[in-house]
Amino acid sequence: MKPQHQHDHKQTPQRPVGSLGVLGQLADFLDDRTGYRAVMHEALYERVPGGARWRYVWGSSLVFAFMTQVITGLVLWSSYSASAQTAWESVYYIQHEMTGGWLLRGIHHVMAQAMVVLLALHLMQVVIDGAYRAPREVNFWLGLVLMMLVLGMALTGYLLPWDQKGYWATRVATNLAGLVPLVGPSLQQIVVGGPDYGHHTVTRFFAIHAGFLPVTLVLMLVVHLSLFRKHGLCAKQPITRPDAMFWPDQVLKDAVAMLAVMAVVLGVILMPAVRAMLEGRPIVPGELGAELGAPADPSQPYAAARPEWYFLFLFQFLKVFEGWGASGEFFGAIVVPGLVMTAMFLMPILGRWQLGHRFNVAFTFALLAGIGLLTAMATNEDYAALWADRSSFADVEKLLEETENDKAKIAAHFGNDAAKIAAFEARAKKLERIRHSQSFLDAVALAKAEAARSIELAGRPERIPSAGMLELIRNDALSQGPKLFAQHCASCHAHVDPAAPEAEAVLAKASAANLHGFGTAAWMRGLLDPKQVAGPAYFGNTAHKEDDMVNFVQNDLTDAETWKPDDIEAVIAAMTAEAGLAAAGTAPAVIEKGRGLVADGERCGSCHTFRDNGVAAGSAPDITGWGSREWLVGIIVDPTHERFYGDSNDRMPSFGKAAEGSAPILTGRQIGLIADWLRGDWYRPAGH
Amino acid sequence: MKRDKTSDESAADRRGFMTKFLAIVCGGLATVPPVLAGVWMFLDPLRRRGAAATFLPVTDLASVPDDGIPRQFAVVADRVDAWTGFAAEPIGAVYLRREKGSDTVEALSATCPHAGCFVEMESQERCFRCPCHNSKFTLDGGMVAPSPSPRAMDGLECQVAKNGEIAVKWQNFYTGIAEKVARP
């Protein structure tokens, strides 16, 4: 050790003579055996020519950001479960149930984005200062590789929650990888872990995200930093101030930058909480930090799919090549980015000439400006409807509808005036953009609602079934009911709150009863209302509009002698009780009275079978258990059954009855989901 | 205290205490959030509690012959594992035995009090034996010395309903100590 000490005599602070205290002695003991003081000294007392500057902080900030990702990533790892059946579930658990999980995941998520920004700043600083020039070329190249590694981690991390957003974005990314010449398809299959997306997609992306890439990055970073130290800092020219030492002058600036980065990250995470507090809304920690969408479902379209914002420019760039087919994507996703990366790798060589250096700087700025522009374009396309005034296009919308977008008709409308037609077409194009944007915004709103419902369901006291969250969602009446209804029922039936502003328009288009609130007192009250029974919400647009029931309601029920208002209310109470949807606090005596009236052979019982009133089936639907799950399932399965409409059934298909040699239209499970949804029977968290 | 210093070093030293202090404070503060959030989440398991000890139906009296020989039964219960809920899943095993002519059923936990292995019954030797470290117990769960186990097998509270249904109070106990102490 001794020669070493002497060798470093000028650099290493010597041990204070006669230092006292246990700590001092311990430090001496360690130094004798490790030489740590020399190492610390080497690390801290680097000369900074021209003194500490703010422009040098980006590299250190990146190292700090990476260390943050390592710390938060390792702890996330301790609770993450990589499989298609558990990835979403474990991330849900981290985000919504583990203490501080939202904060940890939020830091990891937002810091990843901060890293991309810091990368851009670091790159700009290096290029502007010409820090890539000899002898630092290799280190510049290493920096570019590091940048790609970071972007690779960002890309792979996006998938890991295995939610709709990550799933669909990754499908696109991996399909694009498949366009690489020769090896593309194999490359894609290797990354995806097989021909389809599943368990091995998650395990592989996780291994790449948390293993291969960070390990490679650390190795490269060690070389990057040691080369940086070997060549020294590339000082801003001309040097006008005295040199300083890395410690503490530059370290202070670096530390302030790190603190600022962390403050921004925390700010992004906590901003919604502050907003909620100001608006007096409760703060739900699980909703802070990183988003978690609905679990990945290959069977459900996801129109809100977008890459993370820092890849949005690539997404937009691909649109430039729309209409080029596969070669366009190959060009936009592989060739151009490849050329850009090549140009960047050539920077140190070009930079040998002053003109080349200027070109490099201009190129970098142009690149960043292009990225900024493409990002702005993508954002504008998606969110235009937020700020565009759609009402000013009402005339365009009207004309398009009237002419069914027939070019000849439109031309005729404008008297074949080319200028007017061109002006109209330009406005029609703008309207189309607003419409596209609106459908994207609708998709985002839907995605948010689906995510919220998934999270609500995951919090049930029974917890998530072992088959995973998707199974729970596929059996959730609130999630599936509207979809099944839209697909199978809505071509005839409306499902709209009569009080809603759009109700009239919706009902006008329907050709069967409005099933909103079916089984409730409000629905029954409408049916028994002489003004409504033949209206569009009930039998008005059906073959039954002049049948006995309409007749009965319009003529018999209006006879105040036989049907006192209390009687009708009692019938309503009795029928909602059949549905199991009677209002709380309905007196049992009223229900009993209503049952008597319904069963009465002079009243409802003159046609309807009800309980044991002995009316034979066939004349009218059996209304025993009307509106109950069992009754609804029954009528959806087969309305032509004699228990329901029999031969007088009007157009409604027998959804659960198999025709000769084919499967029924709907499975029993699907019919049950529709019935549950119509009855409003789905899981609600306590207190809602 | 006289030291050999380069002029740079002296200059750096003269920057004074404040620069160094601020650098350490800022750098330290920047690292606090991720470390704190990490520790916070990592310690989440300390917050979790096992299911409260309850009586779970195991079998009926007819399935436990009054011959003094223990028989093994699975304990079935609803179980929650982090985010997953399992309905009616086997969560462990108990031994039940009944003396000649008795209606009283004794229940023994199958978990070895030594280190938590699954104690097996040796029907030929008419004893219990733990396969891990050879702890041996009599058929009523008593210690057979010398034994690595610090205590006899853990008895469980057992109820026999009028209809013959046997319910056992399912509990786990700390292993490796002489006293039988239930885990929370």
Side-chain angles (χ1 to χ4, degrees):
Chain A
M1 288 309 282
K2 208 133 192 141
Q4 177 83 32
H5 272 264
Q6 276 176 348
H7 174 75
D8 278 349
H9 187 66
K10 291 225 158 130
Q11 291 278 319
T12 316
Q14 277 203 333
R15 180 186 309 165
V17 181
S19 61
L20 297 169
V22 181
L23 276 181
Q25 283 178 10
L26 187 67
D28 290 350
F29 172 89
L30 278 176
D31 190 42
D32 279 344
R33 283 149 186 85
T34 62
Y36 80 91
R37 282 192 181 120
V39 175
M40 289 288 284
H41 192 262
E42 175 73 18
L44 291 174
Y45 290 92
E46 164 83 9
R47 184 185 302 277
V48 181
R53 280 174 184 274
W54 287 108
R55 63 193 300 130
Y56 305 148
V57 300
W58 305 120
S60 306
S61 304
L62 271 170
V63 173
F64 166 71
F66 178 66
M67 288 319 295
T68 303
Q69 296 304 76
V70 170
I71 295 168
T72 51
L74 280 173
V75 182
L76 283 172
W77 187 344
S78 73
S79 297
Y80 177 71
S81 176
S83 85
Q85 262 170 352
T86 56
W88 187 92
E89 290 76 358
S90 61
V91 175
Y92 156 79
Y93 198 70
I94 291 169
Q95 180 74 23
H96 291 271
E97 305 211 2
M98 295 185 76
T99 50
W102 61 272
L103 179 60
L104 189 79
R105 188 165 165 260
I107 294 176
H108 196 73
H109 177 74
V110 181
M111 190 59 91
Q113 305 177 38
M115 251 181 123
V116 176
V117 175
L118 291 173
L119 269 177
L121 291 169
H122 188 42
L123 179 73
M124 267 165 67
Q125 172 248 324
V126 166
V127 173
I128 293 170
D129 287 354
Y132 51 67
R133 279 188 285 222
R136 298 186 176 85
E137 299 99 318
V138 174
N139 219 16
F140 179 74
W141 291 327
L142 271 174
L144 290 181
V145 173
L146 282 166
M147 179 176 82
M148 287 195 285
L149 289 171
V150 169
L151 292 178
M153 286 204 277
L155 192 76
T156 47
Y158 203 52
L159 170 87
L160 296 182
W162 200 242
D163 59 357
Q164 283 281 66
K165 197 169 76 161
Y167 176 83
W168 290 100
T170 304
R171 271 180 83 120
V172 174
T174 49
N175 279 327
L176 290 177
L179 296 173
V180 174
L182 299 174
V183 293
S186 310
L187 183 73
Q188 183 186 2
Q189 199 149 340
I190 288 169
V191 173
V192 168
D196 274 318
Y197 298 79
H199 288 320
H200 269 184
T201 318
V202 187
T203 53
R204 282 179 171 249
F205 267 68
F206 186 43
I208 293 168
H209 178 80
F212 294 112
L213 292 179
V215 167
T216 315
L217 192 143
V218 166
L219 293 177
M220 296 259 180
L221 190 60
V222 168
V223 183
H224 192 66
L225 290 178
S226 49
L227 280 181
F228 164 69
R229 276 305 172 89
K230 178 182 165 68
H231 300 309
L233 195 133
C234 181
K236 169 88 180 122
Q237 302 294 337
I239 293 171
T240 53
R241 295 182 297 172
D243 294 359
M245 280 293 161
F246 180 63
W247 167 257
D249 299 78
Q250 188 60 45
V251 173
L252 174 62
K253 287 193 162 62
D254 289 355
V256 170
M258 293 173 194
L259 191 58
V261 168
M262 188 46 81
V264 169
V265 167
L266 287 180
V268 171
I269 295 168
L270 296 175
M271 194 62 86
V274 174
R275 213 176 298 140
M277 215 158 64
L278 292 177
E279 289 169 14
R281 284 181 288 120
I283 297 169
V284 184
E287 290 170 4
L288 300 174
E291 242 186 334
L292 177 63
D297 185 349
S299 72
Q300 286 300 321
Y302 187 71
R306 288 291 180 273
E308 195 61 297
W309 63 264
Y310 41 80
F311 288 126
L312 214 49
F313 73 98
L314 275 175
F315 165 81
Q316 185 70 18
F317 189 58
L318 284 183
K319 291 192 193 164
V320 175
F321 302 96
E322 259 169 20
W324 289 35
S327 63
E329 288 193 327
F330 172 67
F331 203 72
I334 314 265
V335 176
V336 174
L339 286 175
V340 168
M341 280 317 292
T342 311
M344 290 174 80
F345 270 90
L346 291 177
M347 276 182 181
I349 294 163
L350 272 178
R352 290 179 186 190
W353 300 277
Q354 191 52 38
L355 201 62
H357 173 64
R358 286 196 189 137
F359 171 81
N360 287 340
V361 174
F363 181 80
T364 309
F365 272 99
L367 190 66
L368 288 173
I371 287 173
L373 183 69
L374 285 168
T375 310
M377 280 167 69
T379 314
N380 184 49
E381 273 189 33
D382 281 347
Y383 295 93
L386 284 183
W387 49 77
D389 178 16
R390 190 166 173 173
S391 61
S392 66
F393 290 90
D395 55 319
V396 181
E397 224 158 338
K398 199 167 151 233
L399 187 61
L400 281 176
E401 203 167 313
E402 280 169 9
T403 57
E404 289 168 339
N405 203 6
D406 185 329
K407 284 217 166 12
K409 281 186 192 165
I410 293 170
H413 177 88
F414 289 107
N416 288 322
D417 182 335
K420 277 188 185 166
I421 295 171
F424 174 79
E425 274 174 358
R427 290 185 70 214
K429 208 164 228 172
K430 271 187 196 157
L431 174 66
E432 195 189 334
R433 281 205 206 114
I434 298 173
R435 275 186 181 161
H436 276 185
S437 160
Q438 191 56 53
S439 46
F440 171 76
L441 293 175
D442 291 348
V444 169
L446 179 70
K448 281 209 169 124
E450 285 181 344
R453 180 59 179 167
S454 306
I455 283 151
E456 202 168 72
L457 283 173
R460 295 180 324 153
E462 300 88 347
R463 312 322 316 264
I464 301 167
S466 49
M469 192 59 210
L470 218 44
E471 163 138 324
L472 202 53
I473 293 171
R474 286 178 179 159
N475 286 306
D476 174 38
L478 181 60
S479 307
Q480 304 307 322
K483 290 178 191 160
L484 290 166
F485 188 88
Q487 204 178 345
H488 299 284
C489 319
S491 56
C492 300
H493 286 287
H495 189 279
V496 61
D497 183 347
E502 73 275 14
E504 203 178 329
V506 175
L507 288 175
K509 283 185 193 157
S511 65
N514 178 14
L515 296 180
H516 183 272
F518 187 79
T520 63
W523 197 92
M524 195 31 100
R525 197 166 288 124
L527 178 73
L528 301 183
D529 178 353
K531 287 195 215 69
Q532 291 191 50
V533 66
Y538 293 93
F539 291 119
N541 297 331
T542 73
H544 304 293
K545 70 176 170 204
E546 286 165 3
D547 276 2
D548 294 345
M549 182 69 187
V550 173
N551 226 331
F552 173 79
V553 172
Q554 288 180 336
N555 299 320
D556 297 34
L557 272 189
T558 47
D559 176 7
E561 282 295 302
T562 32
W563 284 98
K564 298 182 181 63
D566 277 359
D567 294 344
I568 297 177
E569 282 306 312
V571 167
I572 292 168
M575 294 314 288
T576 53
E578 289 299 296
L581 297 172
T586 312
V590 175
I591 294 174
E592 261 327 300
K593 178 186 168 194
R595 281 183 182 148
L597 294 167
V598 175
D600 188 346
E602 299 290 313
R603 298 171 187 257
C604 312
S606 62
C607 302
H608 288 291
T609 313
F610 184 70
R611 299 194 164 212
D612 48 4
N613 70 351
V615 175
S619 54
D622 180 345
I623 50 176
T624 314
W626 171 85
S628 66
R629 185 179 201 273
E630 190 274 336
W631 192 91
L632 264 170
V633 167
I635 195 167
I636 300 171
V637 166
D638 185 14
T640 66
H641 190 279
E642 63 171 15
R643 180 182 164 195
F644 301 104
Y645 284 105
D647 294 340
S648 60
N649 175 48
D650 174 24
R651 295 165 298 156
M652 177 153 159
S654 300
F655 286 99
K657 214 170 85 174
E660 201 81 27
S662 67
I665 305 171
L666 291 172
T667 64
R669 193 180 62 86
Q670 288 173 315
I671 292 172
L673 285 168
I674 296 174
D676 285 339
W677 179 64
L678 288 175
R679 291 169 39 76
D681 191 5
W682 55 73
Y683 167 73
R684 289 172 176 84
H688 280 248
Chain B
M1 191 175 87
K2 204 175 169 196
R3 288 175 58 188
D4 240 5
K5 287 181 182 174
T6 64
S7 59
D8 286 340
E9 254 182 301
S10 312
D13 278 358
R14 280 196 302 274
R15 294 271 175 196
F17 175 73
M18 273 317 277
T19 313
K20 291 182 179 175
F21 176 75
L22 280 176
I24 290 170
V25 168
C26 289
L29 277 180
T31 48
V32 164
V35 171
L36 207 70
V39 172
W40 194 15
M41 190 182 112
F42 198 74
L43 295 182
D44 173 87
L46 291 178
R47 214 166 57 89
R48 310 274 157 196
R49 291 277 168 271
T54 47
F55 278 95
L56 299 169
V58 173
T59 182
D60 53 24
L61 207 54
S63 310
V64 187
D66 59 344
D67 54 7
I69 306 287
R71 280 163 180 84
Q72 186 190 319
F73 295 92
V75 177
V76 175
D78 292 347
R79 186 171 72 90
V80 170
D81 179 2
W83 56 84
T84 310
F86 297 93
E89 245 223 342
I91 57 168
V94 287
Y95 289 104
L96 300 181
R97 71 189 275 277
R98 190 147 68 102
E99 293 291 354
K100 194 96 195 146
S102 165
D103 274 354
T104 316
V105 177
E106 287 170 41
L108 291 171
S109 165
T111 306
C112 181
H114 173 222
C117 292
F118 196 120
V119 177
E120 288 172 350
M121 214 191 70
E122 300 271 358
S123 36
Q124 287 196 324
E125 292 180 52
R126 292 182 69 84
C127 69
F128 286 109
R129 188 193 296 281
C130 178
C132 295
H133 308 96
N134 285 326
S135 297
K136 222 170 142 185
F137 305 95
T138 56
L139 285 186
D140 58 1
M143 291 251 282
V144 177
S147 170
S149 176
R151 62 172 189 262
M153 282 172 77
D154 296 318
L156 297 170
E157 283 179 56
C158 192
Q159 289 174 346
V160 183
K162 281 208 177 90
N163 63 2
E165 193 180 81
I166 301 172
V168 169
K169 188 175 181 185
W170 181 249
Q171 268 181 305
N172 283 309
F173 302 92
Y174 284 104
T175 56
I177 52 175
E179 304 81 37
K180 177 181 160 190
V181 182
R183 280 182 185 272

